[in-house]
Amino acid sequence: MCGIVGYIGKRQAYPVLVKGLHRLEYRGYDSAGVALINGEGQLNVYKSQGKVSDLEDTAQHQDLTGSVGIAHTRWATHGEPNFRNAHPHLSQYGRLAIVHNGIIENYAPLREMLRQNGRTFKSDTDTEVVVQLIEYLQEKQQLSFPQSVRRTLQMLQGSYAIAVLDKNQPDTIVAARKGSPLVVGVGDSELFLGSDASPIVEYTNRIIYLDDEDMVVLHRESDSNANEVGIDLMTLHGEHKQPRIEQVTLDVSQLEKGGYDHFMLKEICEQPQSLRACLLSLRQALFGSDSEPIFSLLQSANRVLITACGTSWHAGIVAKYAFEQMARIPVDVDYASEFRYRNPVINEGDLVIAISQSGETADTLAAIEMAKKQGAKVLSICNVIGSSIPRASDQTIYTMVGPEIGVASTKAFTAQVTVLTTLAILWGKRRGIVSESESADLLKELDSLPGQIAKMLTQKEAIRQMAQTLSFAPSCLYIGRGYNYPVALEGALKLKEISYIHAEGYPASEMKHGPIALISQEMPVVTIATQSPIYDKLVSNIQEIRARQGRVMAVVSEGDTEVVRMADGYVVVPCVSDCLSPILNIVPLQLLSYYVACLKGCNVDQPRNLAKSVTVE
Ligand code: AGP
């Protein structure tokens, strides 16, 4: 999950690297560091525990010159999140510096071998083993810098994206990836590295997405007047490859807060626009002539296996309800981390649908690779173009909501559910289960959702008041039924991840089988109680809570009279069809968690222990 940036070219590297780290800070913020080679060929490393801003404080007044450098923002895996374990790490004799994202699984025996050969270690990380090994092989086997990196990588097990500097070759960066993302940006006489394109797009939109087991040597003419840079791309086995440059269209303003206090608030509030963009791109993906490969995947499926993590998994449960109801196709939903290891039954006619905002979640990626080996086809629903999951899938539908930077996923969820529900409607229509007119009505209603969300967003005040009550609670329950059971799960996840209040999502009727024992004044219950065929059943569940002096906060439909009478606080959402209601109903719960976190003074965009992109299992 860490973030990597690299630069080689004609300008000073430090400002590029630090700005890039700020863009990648969503990937981890335990420590940050930078390595630069200055004009005299000295390798300077500065690092700091904590955020990129702490690094900037540490580095000021130091020699920050040099037009070659690498940098890192860390989410700790091996070794505590402290200064000693911050990247970049240096080799024994200080010749090499490395930054790494991933986990080296066989680091222990390698470390032991290096120890026996006189190397001493200054950190507890798996990463330091890699840089020590490169230097060891350089010396022992008289290998060139790129050769020694390649030889080292052949000895590693696990996942990595790395960038390495060698002060004896001050005009070169060697980088490679396996299981962790890495891209190269191609500018005018300058080259960039990034864990994704976000640190690069303000300099160039020409991007090379490295494949797994690719190694790249970025070099610059040592004659400083020449201003020439070059890229040698090869596999770990030394086969040369032709780099494929793609044009990306990422607007830099999408990476800024745009006047909001937090990215999360911005991303919640921009859902009318992001959903409109999603619907527009769906028109091309599912309604145009390009849609046939996707529908032929669906139509040849006997069964659907949905796999995802976190919020994306919640979108998967909504999809299960929609696919089974509208397309009458059996659906299983699995956490990717369970699916990949529990030896599930996978047959050739199975369609795996992988859902991922980032497209880089390690477990989801591994799950689809495992399913493909067993003969399943894979359709992914993803937000980040060119990321690993789409590249490993047979087909992809992009949600197209632009970069989601807040660690708590918001606009990605509404878009994922929109894509999946649209698929269910169209698939149901092709299977003759949803009629022409039902499908037309639902699609029209889907088109109206951005406007309905905008209307809902005008009620921030009511939600802020509910947040006051929740902010004092040590624990909360979220309940819903049918399509809104996954909304309860997602609402609870939002609250716990950014406000650190324990919250549990539950199907409302299951309360009687245990959780109702917890009901007290101290534990508010948030209910999603909008109009649905089982609204009356939910009303009974709320009465059971009220009868035990529970406090109820509710999301209700316009015109509701029953739940509003029982609730201690409520927010009203426009009436929509039950199958579309999750897209609307989650929005007040996103805002609720946001306001609670703000009231508690929590760091909304960078909650403790979390990172946006979970590229380690
Ligand atoms: C939710 O707010 C979290 N950011 C997290 O649960 C996230 O949804 C999960 O890590 C999956 O990420 P992905 O969609 O990028 O695969």
Side-chain angles (χ1 to χ4, degrees):
M1 344 234 264
C2 312
I4 289 177
V5 195
Y7 178 81
I8 181 164
K10 54 196 176 182
R11 50 179 117 201
Q12 287 299 304
Y14 180 76
V16 177
L17 297 173
V18 165
K19 199 164 188 190
L21 287 185
H22 278 295
R23 296 251 189 264
L24 290 179
E25 213 168 10
Y26 71 87
R27 301 179 73 89
Y29 29 84
D30 288 333
S31 63
V34 60
L36 298 159
I37 299 184
N38 71 11
E40 278 86 57
Q42 286 163 334
L43 177 58
N44 291 317
V45 174
Y46 308 108
K47 43 196 188 178
S48 163
Q49 181 173 351
K51 307 226 155 108
V52 180
S53 53
D54 297 309
L55 168 68
E56 287 177 282
D57 292 343
T58 305
Q60 64 178 328
H61 312 309
Q62 307 284 349
D63 174 12
L64 298 174
T65 60
S67 46
V68 180
I70 55 176
H72 188 266
T73 178
R74 179 169 188 243
W75 188 87
T77 58
H78 289 59
E80 276 180 44
N82 54 20
F83 175 82
R84 154 189 169 81
N85 292 326
H87 299 216
H89 290 287
L90 289 170
S91 57
Q92 179 88 10
Y93 303 112
R95 174 175 163 180
L96 305 169
I98 191 171
V99 292
H100 166 225
N101 168 29
I103 292 180
I104 306 304
E105 287 163 3
N106 60 336
Y107 81 100
L110 291 172
R111 192 175 165 119
E112 194 41 44
M113 181 277 284
L114 288 163
R115 262 211 187 103
Q116 284 172 14
N117 283 279
R119 308 281 148 158
T120 51
F121 287 84
K122 295 172 208 71
S123 80
D124 314 311
T125 63
D126 49 345
T127 305
E128 194 185 353
V129 168
V130 184
V131 74
Q132 297 270 29
L133 186 55
I134 299 169
E135 192 185 67
Y136 171 75
L137 292 176
Q138 267 180 336
E139 287 170 8
K140 190 160 186 267
Q141 300 183 1
Q142 300 295 305
L143 299 175
S144 71
F145 173 32
Q147 280 171 339
S148 59
V149 175
R150 194 157 66 76
R151 180 74 197 96
T152 297
L153 296 178
Q154 288 169 350
M155 296 169 71
L156 301 183
Q157 287 159 16
S159 64
Y160 52 79
I162 56 159
V164 193
L165 292 182
D166 180 344
K167 72 175 175 187
N168 292 0
Q169 273 187 253
D171 297 299
T172 304
I173 303 177
V174 178
R177 70 157 278 185
K178 182 183 168 199
S180 297
L182 197 61
V183 305
V184 177
V186 184
D188 177 18
S189 306
E190 56 188 351
L191 298 168
F192 304 81
L193 278 171
S195 293
D196 63 33
S198 66
I200 299 173
V201 281
E202 58 198 280
Y203 310 103
T204 176
N205 64 354
R206 302 173 71 220
I207 301 289
I208 301 165
Y209 291 93
L210 297 184
D211 288 326
D212 260 354
E213 307 208 350
D214 273 357
M215 186 177 108
V216 69
V217 182
L218 310 181
H219 51 88
R220 185 179 59 175
E221 289 298 319
S222 40
D223 169 6
S224 56
N225 296 325
N227 259 350
E228 282 302 322
V229 289
I231 303 169
D232 295 333
L233 178 63
M234 67 202 76
T235 67
L236 283 193
H237 308 290
E239 292 137 16
H240 286 270
K241 289 175 75 175
Q242 197 54 39
R244 210 179 66 237
I245 299 177
E246 297 180 29
Q247 306 274 341
V248 299
T249 48
L250 190 57
D251 176 357
V252 179
S253 69
Q254 292 178 317
L255 304 169
E256 315 282 349
K257 284 191 204 145
Y260 287 91
D261 289 343
H262 297 99
F263 280 111
M264 184 185 181
L265 184 62
K266 176 188 175 219
E267 286 157 8
I268 294 171
C269 293
E270 74 187 16
Q271 285 176 106
Q273 298 88 291
S274 59
L275 210 59
R276 224 166 261 134
C278 170
L279 286 162
L280 200 67
S281 99
L282 269 186
R283 216 155 272 157
Q284 270 184 348
L286 295 182
F287 295 83
S289 51
D290 295 350
S291 64
E292 274 326 301
I294 291 172
F295 283 107
S296 81
L297 270 190
L298 295 181
Q299 274 159 335
S300 56
N302 301 322
R303 181 172 75 127
V304 171
L305 306 170
I306 294 179
T307 191
C309 302
T311 290
S312 299
W313 183 79
H314 298 152
I317 306 181
V318 180
K320 174 184 170 72
Y321 284 44
F323 286 156
E324 293 201 339
Q325 188 198 337
M326 294 190 254
R328 304 304 297 154
I329 194 93
V331 180
D332 285 342
V333 189
D334 259 287
Y335 284 120
S337 53
E338 290 298 311
F339 185 69
R340 62 182 288 200
Y341 287 120
R342 74 172 173 80
N343 197 12
V345 177
I346 301 173
N347 299 311
E348 280 208 359
D350 289 341
L351 173 65
V352 169
I353 299 186
I355 310 168
S356 175
Q357 187 285 130
S358 62
E360 299 295 349
T361 301
D363 281 320
T364 310
L365 184 59
I368 64 177
E369 273 162 359
M370 185 264 290
K372 265 172 50 180
K373 276 196 197 121
Q374 296 186 34
K377 294 281 184 216
V378 178
L379 168 66
S380 58
I381 313 297
C382 189
N383 192 38
V384 180
I385 295 172
S387 53
S388 302
I389 289 172
R391 283 142 63 85
S393 305
D394 294 292
Q395 293 292 327
T396 299
I397 304 174
Y398 285 106
T399 45
M400 300 301 280
V401 293
E404 188 182 67
I405 295 170
V407 166
S409 189
T410 53
K411 62 178 181 174
F413 177 79
T414 45
Q416 288 165 343
V417 175
T418 298
V419 170
L420 291 157
T421 308
T422 308
L423 267 186
I425 297 166
L426 297 178
W427 197 1
K429 189 170 100 178
R430 287 189 181 221
R431 285 170 64 89
I433 297 152
V434 176
S435 71
E436 282 281 346
S437 70
E438 279 168 332
S439 133
D441 289 349
L442 284 171
L443 294 174
K444 196 165 156 216
E445 216 183 331
L446 261 172
D447 280 340
S448 76
L449 285 183
Q452 308 282 37
I453 293 178
K455 202 166 154 194
M456 199 269 109
L457 286 169
T458 59
Q459 294 186 61
K460 293 199 183 92
E461 208 32 61
I463 302 169
R464 231 192 276 263
Q465 275 171 26
M466 283 164 62
Q468 296 276 357
T469 311
L470 256 62
S471 64
F472 294 107
S475 190
C476 275
L477 266 176
Y478 282 65
I479 58 168
R481 296 190 71 148
Y483 282 105
N484 284 296
Y485 157 53
V487 174
L489 294 177
E490 175 60 7
L493 176 63
K494 290 287 87 87
L495 188 72
K496 62 189 150 197
E497 68 183 328
I498 60 166
S499 73
Y500 318 139
I501 293 176
H502 170 252
E504 205 64 86
Y506 242 81
S509 194
E510 272 293 304
M511 292 285 291
K512 303 189 217 25
H513 301 285
I516 203 161
L518 295 168
I519 296 296
S520 76
Q521 285 275 305
E522 276 68 56
M523 195 175 74
V525 181
V526 179
T527 72
I528 301 105
T530 48
Q531 283 304 324
S532 81
I534 48 171
Y535 171 80
D536 293 339
K537 310 266 178 211
L538 189 74
V539 169
S540 305
N541 300 141
I542 296 172
Q543 267 156 353
E544 288 155 10
I545 296 165
R546 293 295 297 166
R548 285 156 184 83
Q549 280 76 54
R551 293 158 86 195
V552 174
M553 311 280 144
V555 178
V556 297
S557 298
E558 265 169 0
D560 185 285
T561 50
E562 284 198 66
V563 176
V564 294
R565 265 193 297 110
M566 293 188 280
D568 298 282
Y570 63 87
V571 53
V572 182
V573 297
C575 292
V576 292
S577 291
D578 193 28
C579 66
L580 306 184
S581 64
I583 302 166
L584 205 51
N585 293 349
I586 190 58
V587 179
L589 302 186
Q590 295 168 344
L591 275 175
L592 183 62
S593 63
Y594 173 76
Y595 289 130
V596 174
C598 289
L599 284 167
K600 293 192 73 189
C602 300
N603 186 337
V604 171
D605 284 332
Q606 295 176 338
R608 69 184 179 211
N609 304 338
L610 292 177
K612 181 75 182 159
S613 183
V614 186
T615 55
V616 293
E617 65 169 296

